[in-house]
């Protein structure tokens, strides 16, 4: 009976070692890709590697929880020989990680409890948790559950719904100030709110009429002033003034130009 249990234990250990070796190989391959093929590595490939590791870990958990697998917690490991000399067989089995089985490394590799520092931190956390009353703890639990529920709801919503909500928020949000826009339009179109600046000697210039085509001070140029100014510029350049119907004139303002020339020409 005892021999049968030992054989069953050895078979379970071999199966467990095989599964752990698969996980180790997958980790080696993934780390190699991250270090050497990171330029060609894509996010779907990373997800595939994570999925492979997750599946292998789940296989190990199922193996440990299987009814036919003996309980490894009931098994004890006792060091029979400790030595400061190098053990080649041990180094080969551990892939050169443990070349010596000495008094220094045995407590770390055969430890069944956390480190003393970790145990002390756990005690402090337990004492702090005991100080919290049941009502406060219940409120904190409800708050945490609410946050988790909202997060899960956002993650479970389709992407189209999230995009629609974002678009609605952008449309409802006002990106400009209506008052500033109205003031700017009034200033550009009608000169509303602008200060009236006169050039030096404007009062003297206002007493006599300027030559034909000159701009009237203190006000924007009118259609008549613009056309006369253009005719005056052509005369100053030595060319004949444009006649009615010639190219360059706007056909819609022939009457205005003719009436202005008739009323302001010095020889008529």
């Amino acid at each position: 009976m005892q021999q049968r249990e030992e054989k069953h234990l050895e078979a379970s250990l071999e199966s467990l070692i095989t599964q752990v070796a698969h996980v180790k190989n997958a980790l080696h391959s993934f780390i190699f890709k991250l270090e050497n093929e990171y330029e060609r590595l894509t996010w779907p490939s990373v997800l595939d590697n994570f999925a492979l590791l997750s599946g292998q870990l789940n296989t190990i958990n199922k193996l440990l929880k299987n009814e036919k697998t003996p309980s490894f917690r009931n098994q004890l490991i006792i060091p029979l020989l400790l030595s400061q000399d190098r053990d080649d067989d041990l180094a080969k089995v551990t892939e050169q990680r443990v070349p010596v089985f000495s008094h220094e490394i045995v407590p770390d590799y055969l430890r069944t409890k956390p480190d003393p520092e970790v145990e002390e931190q756990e005690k402090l956390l337990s004492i702090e948790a005991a100080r919290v009353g049941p009502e406060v703890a219940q409120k904190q639990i409800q708050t945490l559950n609410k946050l988790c529920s909202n997060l899960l709801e956002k993650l479970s919503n389709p992407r189209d719904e999230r995009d629609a909500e974002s678009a609605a928020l952008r449309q409802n949000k006002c990106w400009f100030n209506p008052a500033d826009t109205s003031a700017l339009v009034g200033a550009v179109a009608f000169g509303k709110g602008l200060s009236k600046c006169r050039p030096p000697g404007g009062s003297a210039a206002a007493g006599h009429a300027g030559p034909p085509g000159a701009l009237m001070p203190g006000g924007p140029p009118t259609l008549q002033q613009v056309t006369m100014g253009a005719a005056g510029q052509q005369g100053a350049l030595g060319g004949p003034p444009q006649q009615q119907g010639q190219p360059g004139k706007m056909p819609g303002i022939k009457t205005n130009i003719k009436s202005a020339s008739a009323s302001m020409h010095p020889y008529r």
Side-chain angles (χ1 to χ4, degrees):
M1 184 69 178
Q2 185 176 359
Q3 294 180 354
R4 184 178 178 181
E5 291 180 356
E6 291 179 356
K7 290 181 179 180
H8 186 55
L9 178 61
E10 290 178 359
S12 300
L13 285 174
E14 289 179 0
S15 178
L16 182 60
I17 290 172
T18 303
Q19 296 297 331
V20 172
H22 292 333
V23 175
K24 184 183 68 174
N25 293 333
L27 283 173
H28 281 314
S29 177
F30 187 34
I31 293 172
F32 179 81
K33 291 179 181 179
L34 291 176
E35 293 179 351
N36 301 290
E37 301 178 2
Y38 58 91
E39 294 181 354
R40 301 190 303 269
L41 196 62
T42 59
W43 181 243
S45 177
V46 174
L47 293 179
D48 292 340
N49 284 274
F50 277 118
L52 177 61
L53 292 171
S54 177
Q56 291 174 346
L57 293 175
N58 288 330
T59 303
I60 293 176
N61 288 330
K62 292 179 180 179
L63 179 62
L64 294 174
K65 294 179 180 179
N66 193 358
E67 296 179 354
K68 297 181 180 180
T69 302
S71 178
F72 295 106
R73 293 183 178 180
N74 298 331
Q75 307 297 326
L76 299 178
I77 300 177
I78 301 175
L80 301 178
L81 178 63
L82 300 177
S83 175
Q84 299 292 339
D85 299 331
R86 178 182 175 84
D87 190 347
D88 294 334
D89 295 335
L90 180 63
K92 183 179 180 180
V93 171
T94 59
E95 297 181 352
Q96 306 299 326
R97 288 192 298 269
V98 186
V100 178
F101 200 65
S102 61
H103 299 77
E104 183 179 358
I105 65 173
V106 164
D108 295 331
Y109 282 92
L110 301 183
R111 184 186 299 277
T112 57
K113 291 184 178 181
D115 294 336
E117 294 82 2
V118 177
E119 289 183 349
E120 189 66 25
Q121 292 180 359
E122 287 183 354
K123 289 180 181 179
L124 293 176
L125 292 175
S126 300
I127 294 172
E128 185 177 356
R131 294 177 182 175
V132 180
E135 297 180 357
V136 178
Q138 189 65 27
K139 289 182 180 180
Q140 293 179 356
I141 292 173
Q142 292 177 357
T143 304
L144 180 61
N145 290 335
K146 185 177 180 181
L147 292 175
C148 293
S149 300
N150 293 335
L151 181 60
L152 291 174
E153 183 179 357
K154 290 182 179 180
L155 292 175
S156 61
N157 286 338
R159 184 176 179 180
D160 297 338
E161 295 182 3
R162 294 197 298 268
D163 294 342
E165 293 178 358
S166 301
L169 291 175
R170 288 195 297 268
Q171 290 178 359
N172 295 332
K173 187 175 181 180
C174 185
W175 298 96
F176 62 93
N177 189 349
D180 293 343
T181 303
S182 299
L184 182 61
V185 172
V188 173
F190 308 107
K192 186 177 181 180
L194 301 179
S195 59
K196 296 181 179 180
C197 298
R198 289 181 175 273
S203 59
H208 63 278
L215 299 181
M216 298 178 65
T222 60
L223 178 63
Q224 176 180 340
Q225 293 167 354
V226 171
T227 55
M228 295 303 294
Q233 289 178 1
Q234 288 186 354
L237 293 176
Q242 292 183 353
Q243 301 297 326
Q244 295 181 6
Q246 289 183 355
K249 284 289 185 175
M250 297 179 63
I253 56 174
K254 292 181 180 179
T255 306
N256 294 335
I257 296 174
K258 184 176 180 181
S259 60
S261 301
S263 59
M264 298 185 65
H265 201 281
Y267 299 103
R268 293 186 180 181

